[in-house]
Amino acid sequence: MKAIQIKERLSGTASGALSKLKSEKDNSSMHGLLVLFRKELTDHLKSARFLLMLALLTLTSMASLYGALGSVRDAATDSSEFIFLTLFTTGGKSIPSISTFLAFLGPLAGIVMGFDCVNRERSLGTLNRLTSQPIYRDAIINGKFMAGFAAVFMMVFSLGILVSAIGLLAIGLPPSVEEVLRITAFLLFTVFYISFWLGLSILFSVLWRHAATAALAGISIWIFLSFFMSMVAGAVADMVYPTEGIEGMFHMMDNYNLQLGLNRISPYYLFGEAAATILNPNIRSIGVITNSQLSGAIAGYLPFGQSLLLVWPHLVCMVALTAVCFALSYIGFMRQEIRA
């Protein structure tokens, strides 16, 4: 009987020691991740490239806001409904809107922040010293991505708050709850849009040892998807469904649907479509609107919840693309021989 009691005490002591060791191990892992996160975030916020990108986005946004204020004042004399949203969707005579600038320059900010986050430390020899510390290896790649995501979040929302504050002082009309929700949703979508390019640049930083190669790969994909994807989609759609001649009249719908599907492969097109839908309550549908959809429809603005349902697939696709890029970066980093 005593032997059984002693055995139970020993097993209880062993299980308690194992659980305590596991708890200490988890705490050590979380502590190392937090330390790396704070270090990487501080490096981002103090880096010249982050400050330059923030200054570039701020200057372009202020230029767009200056051009938009004239249109906003004219519109305010006729109607005060959803005037605040026009600050983000309207530009000057020769200056695009703020949403257009973010769609174009946002990927550049993500690429600049992540193209050398791994290969630079490998070339400098600091990656070996970092892995020799009592931290888990996956905490390195996790901390770098989390810090980059936090820096992007701070950049986008600080820019959105600045534009909203200046617009509030200029037009003198506070935004409604509907406008606040739409602007917040737009800024969140912008964060995930830039984070996709951040994850893609981190992936290239893991795959290639030279920072110039990773930067060139990211910029090449950005230029292709932003400028040439629509041309390629149009050419492919015309090859599959020609629109010339009498027979082409029956292919117009198929041609448009194929071209639309190919364009939606590009995150640039996804972001532009989602931003226009969120910031413009007049948009009631995405894609082709048939007569059956128009019949019985009530004229008016689309509520925020319905607009969000229209762009929900876009947001899910953007988050999924970001997760895939980070997962590939994680797998590649964990399988690499760092100390070689």
Side-chain angles (χ1 to χ4, degrees), residues 60-121:
T60 53
S61 299
M62 292 301 103
S64 298
L65 182 62
Y66 177 78
L69 284 176
S71 302
V72 169
R73 292 192 185 97
D74 294 337
T77 58
D78 301 329
S79 174
S80 60
E81 196 169 11
F82 300 114
I83 293 298
F84 219 82
L85 295 178
T86 57
L87 296 175
F88 296 86
T89 58
T90 307
K93 294 181 180 179
S94 59
I95 301 176
S97 63
I98 294 175
S99 60
T100 303
F101 269 125
L102 288 176
F104 179 70
L105 296 177
L108 185 60
I111 293 171
V112 165
M113 292 174 60
F115 76 94
D116 63 344
C117 66
V118 176
N119 49 27
R120 176 172 55 89
E121 296 210 25

Side-chain angles (χ1 to χ4, degrees), residues 181-339:
L181 291 175
R182 289 182 179 272
I183 292 173
T184 303
F186 165 70
L187 295 178
L188 284 174
F189 200 91
T190 305
V191 170
F192 284 107
Y193 172 61
I194 299 178
S195 297
F196 161 74
W197 295 98
L198 173 67
L200 186 65
S201 61
I202 292 178
L203 174 61
F204 292 154
S205 180
V206 172
L207 295 179
W208 287 294
R209 294 182 177 273
H210 298 286
T213 306
L216 183 61
I219 293 175
S220 300
I221 294 178
W222 164 53
I223 292 176
F224 174 77
L225 293 179
S226 300
F227 295 100
F228 300 106
M229 187 63 191
S230 59
M231 302 179 189
V232 174
V236 172
D238 290 337
M239 290 176 57
V240 177
Y241 298 107
T243 56
E244 297 178 355
I246 299 177
E247 187 179 357
M249 297 179 62
F250 300 96
H251 293 164
M252 292 183 65
M253 184 64 69
D254 295 329
N255 182 287
Y256 176 80
N257 289 330
L258 179 58
Q259 187 173 351
L260 182 62
L262 292 176
N263 276 323
R264 284 177 174 172
I265 297 175
S266 170
Y268 175 81
Y269 189 89
L270 283 178
F271 175 78
E273 196 173 45
T277 305
I278 293 174
L279 294 176
N280 188 359
N282 290 312
I283 297 179
R284 304 180 62 87
S285 178
I286 296 178
V288 179
I289 302 177
T290 61
N291 292 327
S292 60
Q293 292 175 332
L294 289 176
S295 61
I298 300 174
Y301 296 112
L302 195 67
F304 169 71
Q306 297 298 320
S307 297
L308 194 61
L309 286 177
L310 289 177
V311 300
W312 186 254
H314 298 66
L315 180 59
V316 172
C317 182
M318 196 70 66
V319 174
L321 289 174
T322 306
V324 168
C325 290
F326 175 71
L328 293 176
S329 304
Y330 182 90
I331 295 172
F333 183 78
M334 296 298 290
R335 290 185 175 183
Q336 281 183 349
E337 180 59 43
I338 296 179
R339 305 190 184 189

